[in-house]
Amino acid sequence: MKENNIEELERQFQEKIDNDIKIEPRDWMPDAYRDTLIRQISQHAHSEIVGMLPEGNWITRAPNLRRKAVLLAKVQDEAGHGLYLYSAAETLGADREETIDDLHSGKAKYSSIFNYPTLSWADMGAIGWLVDGAAIMNQVPLCRCSYGPYARAMVRVCKEESFHQRQGFEIMTTLANGTPEQKAMAQDALNRFWWPALMMFGPNDAESKHTEQSMRWKIKRQTNDELRQQFVDITVPQAEMIGLTIPDADLKFNTETGHYEFGEINWDEFWQVVKGNGPCNKDRVDARRKAKENGMWVREAAAAYAEKRANRNKEKRA
Amino acid sequence: MNKNLFEYLLRLGDDSLIIGHRLSEWCGHGPILEEDIAMTNMALDFIGQATTIFEYAAKVENTGRDADALAFLRYEREYRNVLLVEQPNEDFAVTMVRQFLFDAFRKPLYEALQNSSDTQIAAIAEKSLKETKYHLKHSSEWVIRLGDGTEESHEKAQYAVDTLWRYTDELFFENEVDAALQAENVIPSLIPIREEWQKTVTDVLTEATLSIPQNGWKQQGGRTGLHSEHLGYILAELQYMQRAYPGMKW
């Protein structure tokens, strides 16, 4: 009897999904759906927070006042995205602090792109243009994700990401039209970030263990390879427009398919970075762990003060 | 050019620029995510204020230097910020107490500058005051929470007050530049501003159960370009791009 009930609930759940009715926090959902979303949303939140570090690395060295203000605003937006995403994960019953501890212990992942160092000012351009550009490709379909709070968070996030992408491209354009040193700086940033940006879409579809189920649940609406292809098709002409060269000898436009064909991604590098062996994995996680440890006494003070105040108010009322 | 006005604008602009720089160092490392956002937001306000002030200073100077040249291309001895704002962040208590001591000065200053006979300064003050009121509320609340929180936070907050107190007298530095501008009603006397600062600081520190250091050892020099060792390192980062790639557009 009980089994029948679950089957019936699952049938109704899938029917809602098939009819594009959003799943809300209080609705019944299969455990695996909940777990998949918690994993995906918290990974996304961690990516926003860890993603503050490579760009934060250039705030104090930004080349002029306008760029400094824009970069500060951008990194602040990322912190804001992290905040709504942790809240979205909380609607599924995930505790924010526990989720963050999973990041620090290495149990939870975040986007591997942030394990690459930012070595020049041009990297601020490359990150905005390529990394935020790739993030938009991934996130626009998430605005239609079956889980209501995640979909709604993504609407707002995507608006800001598209501004970030444009400012990144504008930095690259300025450098590409600048002095030979500036152009070389831009090309070097593109060389270093191009392949890691393509890796942001995840393994090839044949290797992606979560894709099929996530597509059925409409958590994911397009496959990794489809999104990666869209990104390449949009980005290559942008690089050409500003006179930069994509670092891929195999890149060519196929006039029959209307798509760019591109070289093989170094999957060994991809898995190495995912496993924690990228150039900055340790630094990034250490920085976050330190922020939490160094902030412990501040959080304790805030809690202690709040309690004292509540008690004083109670005494006053009594 | 009005040399006194230019000098005064550098004081205002440099205070904002340098405290904004210090706050921006926290970005990505704050003790709580909400606080990371708040400190980055304040940094952004200060960089915005510095930009507006330097734009006006560049106009007053009228030699072709722009706001960026003023922010990024002066030598250390030409910066006019108070020593307080260049002191290192150390920990969250030092950062918030520094912020509070500064905000408690900036609020009455901007209130008074709204009545400046110089309409540009009055406009800058009016716009900046809105942000400053929020900053002061935020930093006061934290000083109270830390002071009256746990034993550990109380100790750290008291250490911060004791360490930074020696730099507070300089907030009220005045010389012939002030006298000349006061005569034209461009800027106010700092005497009533000091009284208000004293009252705010006494009220907040008392509520925070922190003791107020007895006036004694005073440090100054920033207003005349004689800084602590810390400013050089700030400028090494701040000016890096402009110095390494001279004359380029970004």
Side-chain angles (χ1 to χ4, degrees):
Chain A
M1 184 65 198
K2 200 173 171 230
E3 225 163 78
N4 281 346
N5 269 345
I6 295 234
E7 265 173 36
E8 177 53 21
L9 286 168
E10 275 179 359
R11 195 194 58 75
Q12 288 172 4
F13 172 81
Q14 192 62 46
E15 193 175 272
K16 268 197 207 165
I17 300 232
D18 294 342
N19 290 318
D20 282 326
I21 296 170
K22 292 268 181 270
I23 306 300
E24 295 299 335
R26 285 161 184 272
D27 295 348
W28 185 87
M29 61 187 86
D31 289 346
Y33 176 85
R34 185 185 299 274
D35 293 344
T36 300
L37 275 168
I38 290 178
R39 180 179 52 80
Q40 185 173 332
I41 298 173
S42 55
Q43 266 184 24
H44 191 164
H46 300 329
S47 301
E48 297 283 356
I49 300 306
V50 175
M52 295 168 71
L53 298 168
E55 290 178 289
N57 184 40
W58 279 88
I59 289 173
T60 57
R61 291 178 292 168
N64 62 31
L65 291 163
R66 182 172 79 91
R67 293 293 183 198
K68 191 186 285 286
V70 173
L71 186 59
L72 271 166
K74 177 176 193 275
V75 180
Q76 190 196 16
D77 284 347
E78 282 154 12
H81 298 170
L83 208 53
Y84 342 126
L85 287 163
Y86 284 125
S87 305
E90 279 177 331
T91 65
L92 292 158
D95 177 72
R96 176 166 139 189
E97 290 310 314
E98 280 173 26
T99 317
I100 291 172
D101 288 339
D102 286 345
L103 167 71
H104 297 172
S105 71
K107 190 176 149 205
K109 301 291 179 211
Y110 54 90
S111 181
S112 278
I113 192 84
F114 302 119
N115 292 316
Y116 291 86
T118 53
L119 303 177
S120 79
W121 170 252
D123 292 8
M124 300 303 99
I127 288 181
W129 173 37
L130 303 174
V131 176
D132 292 288
I136 293 169
M137 291 287 162
N138 272 325
Q139 289 168 12
V140 165
L142 290 175
C143 299
R144 295 185 295 126
C145 159
S146 59
Y147 187 59
Y150 193 29
R152 288 187 289 271
M154 278 305 108
V155 172
R156 184 161 168 193
V157 168
C158 281
K159 275 188 203 150
E160 293 179 350
E161 295 291 5
S162 112
F163 170 73
H164 297 169
Q165 195 271 346
R166 268 178 289 158
Q167 72 83 35
F169 187 61
E170 198 228 319
I171 290 177
M172 286 307 253
T173 308
T174 307
L175 296 176
N177 293 325
T179 63
E181 291 95 322
Q182 287 174 307
K183 191 166 179 182
M185 192 191 282
Q187 183 64 53
D188 176 57
L190 173 58
N191 293 349
R192 284 181 289 110
F193 278 97
W194 174 253
W195 291 104
L198 294 193
M199 294 176 198
M200 282 177 71
F201 297 95
N204 285 136
D205 295 347
E207 308 287 322
S208 174
K209 56 178 180 178
H210 302 298
T211 295
E212 202 191 321
Q213 180 58 265
S214 289
M215 298 273 284
R216 205 157 43 234
W217 280 333
K218 295 188 182 171
I219 291 175
K220 200 163 172 171
R221 318 274 315 215
Q222 276 171 295
T223 72
N224 295 354
D225 287 331
E226 285 167 3
L227 292 165
R228 186 164 20 239
Q229 185 66 52
Q230 268 182 33
F231 175 76
V232 172
D233 288 343
I234 286 183
T235 312
V236 172
Q238 291 174 345
E240 284 170 357
M241 195 170 90
I242 58 174
L244 295 179
T245 309
I246 301 284
D248 178 358
D250 298 324
L251 185 76
K252 57 175 187 288
F253 188 69
N254 182 326
T255 46
E256 272 171 39
T257 60
H259 293 296
Y260 282 90
E261 289 168 5
F262 51 95
E264 183 64 16
I265 288 171
N266 182 347
W267 292 112
D268 183 47
E269 177 182 324
F270 173 79
W271 290 114
Q272 283 297 326
V273 181
V274 169
K275 279 179 202 147
N277 302 328
C280 297
N281 295 59
K282 185 176 181 306
D283 296 346
R284 301 298 186 229
V285 174
D286 282 354
R288 291 309 311 160
R289 198 176 16 229
K290 254 188 232 160
K292 183 165 182 180
E293 283 166 10
N294 294 341
M296 189 75 81
W297 68 271
V298 177
R299 295 190 297 276
E300 285 167 1
Y305 177 74
E307 202 187 322
K308 281 186 199 176
R309 228 178 113 129
N311 288 339
R312 280 176 208 149
N313 286 344
K314 222 186 277 168
E315 279 165 26
K316 249 188 245 165
R317 277 199 302 272
Chain B
M1 141 169 112
N2 183 337
K3 273 197 175 158
N4 292 323
L5 181 58
F6 180 70
E7 176 78 11
Y8 188 78
L9 289 168
L10 292 184
R11 292 181 189 173
L12 274 183
D14 289 342
D15 280 353
S16 292
L17 178 68
I18 302 300
I19 204 159
H21 182 99
R22 281 297 190 211
L23 284 167
S24 78
E25 292 173 347
W26 274 101
C27 187
H29 308 279
I32 312 172
L33 191 48
E34 286 80 351
E35 200 45 38
D36 208 309
I37 295 175
M39 285 192 283
T40 307
N41 200 32
M42 289 195 280
L44 195 54
D45 287 343
F46 282 112
I47 299 304
Q49 288 178 18
T51 305
T52 322
I53 296 164
F54 289 142
E55 279 167 358
Y56 182 39
K59 220 153 94 189
V60 170
E61 188 188 35
N62 197 23
T63 60
R65 276 208 284 191
D66 64 5
D68 283 324
L70 289 174
F72 294 89
L73 289 170
R74 279 175 293 147
Y75 295 116
E76 190 173 336
R77 296 292 298 274
E78 296 168 329
Y79 283 79
R80 293 290 183 257
N81 58 281
V82 286
L83 300 176
L84 177 70
V85 297
E86 71 198 38
Q87 297 311 305
N89 290 338
E90 289 194 45
D91 64 11
F92 187 70
V94 171
T95 301
M96 270 303 134
V97 169
R98 183 187 65 206
Q99 195 59 43
F100 165 67
L101 295 171
F102 181 70
D103 294 337
F105 159 71
R106 264 293 172 91
K107 180 181 160 273
L109 178 68
Y110 277 142
E111 276 167 349
L113 285 173
Q114 289 185 111
N115 303 318
S116 170
S117 61
D118 182 306
T119 53
Q120 287 270 15
I121 290 191
I124 291 170
E126 193 188 339
K127 185 178 173 287
S128 308
L129 180 61
K130 284 184 198 132
E131 298 165 353
T132 306
K133 281 182 176 166
Y134 165 78
H135 300 165
L136 177 60
K137 182 172 184 285
H138 188 81
S139 58
S140 304
E141 286 171 357
W142 269 113
V143 170
I144 293 166
R145 254 180 231 130
L146 297 181
D148 193 18
T150 61
E151 203 174 311
E152 186 184 8
S153 70
H154 178 86
E155 261 172 44
K156 286 180 192 283
Q158 187 65 57
Y159 166 82
V161 172
D162 295 345
T163 304
L164 296 171
W165 194 255
R166 75 195 68 164
Y167 301 111
T168 54
D169 187 56
E170 194 192 11
L171 292 167
F172 309 100
F173 172 90
E174 285 182 296
N175 65 2
E176 66 284 354
V177 170
D178 302 76
L181 294 172
Q182 282 162 5
E184 297 164 34
N185 292 319
V186 175
I187 63 165
S189 156
L190 289 178
I191 294 167
I193 289 169
R194 183 167 204 152
E195 282 166 14
E196 190 174 336
W197 179 87
Q198 195 77 47
K199 185 179 179 318
T200 309
V201 169
T202 307
D203 290 351
V204 169
L205 293 187
T206 306
E207 192 177 344
T209 71
L210 293 166
S211 52
I212 298 168
Q214 292 314 301
N215 283 356
W217 182 24
K218 302 283 168 54
Q219 291 287 325
Q220 55 177 16
R223 286 286 188 243
T224 52
L226 197 60
H227 291 275
S228 60
E229 289 178 344
H230 306 297
L231 185 68
Y233 291 94
I234 293 178
L235 297 183
E237 280 187 39
L238 181 76
Q239 301 187 341
Y240 164 63
M241 290 296 290
Q242 291 279 345
R243 297 290 182 197
Y245 302 93
M248 299 184 198
K249 295 268 171 281
W250 302 95

